[in-house]
Amino acid sequence: LYHHWPSKEALLHTIVKLSGELLVAHLEQVESYQGNPRERIYQYISTRLQTIAGNQDLFTVTWQERAIVSSEAFGELSRLAENYRSRVRLLIEDAKSAGAIRQEIDSHLTMLALDGMTGWAYFWYRPDGNYDISQIADAFWDMLSNGVAPRDTA
């Protein structure tokens, strides 16, 4: 293995960068989606889950080992990650402007919630589990768009 890579850190940097490129490709797909902003948020959830579940081994290495990436490489990756998060916040802002998300909802916190809901799939998702990715995306969307508290029936 190290015949092709000068060090474990170089290999890890490449894996982390590839993971980032996969996430950017999924985000570009969402950004080009022709549906309304509300549908784009659903597409974000769905395609991010698909991307992570479809590359679970890669994302496991990325998120379990990223702490050992050198500070120089981490700086580059950190800039790419912030660009990604900024673009996700724009999706959320677009949905707010369209009335699909309440104005008082904080876009940064919503981005973090979406990131947490979907990002940990590398750890807990099992293809042979009770739910497939589509069902999980639908459930997450339902929780986000309708909340989890019982509806007031009075």
Side-chain angles (χ1 to χ4, degrees), residues 38-143:
R38 180 182 172 94
E39 292 168 340
R40 245 185 242 116
I41 299 294
Y42 173 80
Q43 288 299 317
Y44 171 81
I45 293 168
S46 178
T47 60
R48 183 170 157 98
L49 283 169
Q50 290 168 15
T51 300
I52 292 169
N55 300 280
Q56 206 164 5
D57 52 352
L58 191 68
F59 284 100
T60 298
V61 170
T62 295
W63 284 319
Q64 295 289 321
E65 302 294 330
R66 69 177 177 226
I68 65 170
V69 175
S70 73
S71 59
E72 178 183 320
F74 183 79
E76 172 195 352
L77 298 170
S78 182
R79 284 186 296 281
L80 294 171
E82 183 48 41
N83 178 266
Y84 177 89
R85 288 189 292 268
S86 197
R87 290 165 66 185
V88 173
R89 285 190 296 267
L90 283 175
L91 289 174
I92 294 163
E93 288 295 325
D94 287 348
K96 287 171 70 172
S97 294
I101 295 176
R102 295 190 325 264
Q103 288 299 312
E104 70 271 15
I105 300 298
D106 185 276
S107 298
H108 181 73
L109 292 177
T110 303
M111 178 273 303
L112 291 174
L114 291 172
D115 185 63
M117 289 172 77
T118 56
W120 279 92
Y122 85 90
F123 183 76
W124 53 256
Y125 177 69
R126 297 292 174 262
D128 59 349
N130 292 332
Y131 304 99
D132 65 28
I133 285 297
S134 174
Q135 291 170 313
I136 294 168
D138 289 348
F140 282 1
W141 174 246
D142 184 51
M143 287 180 232

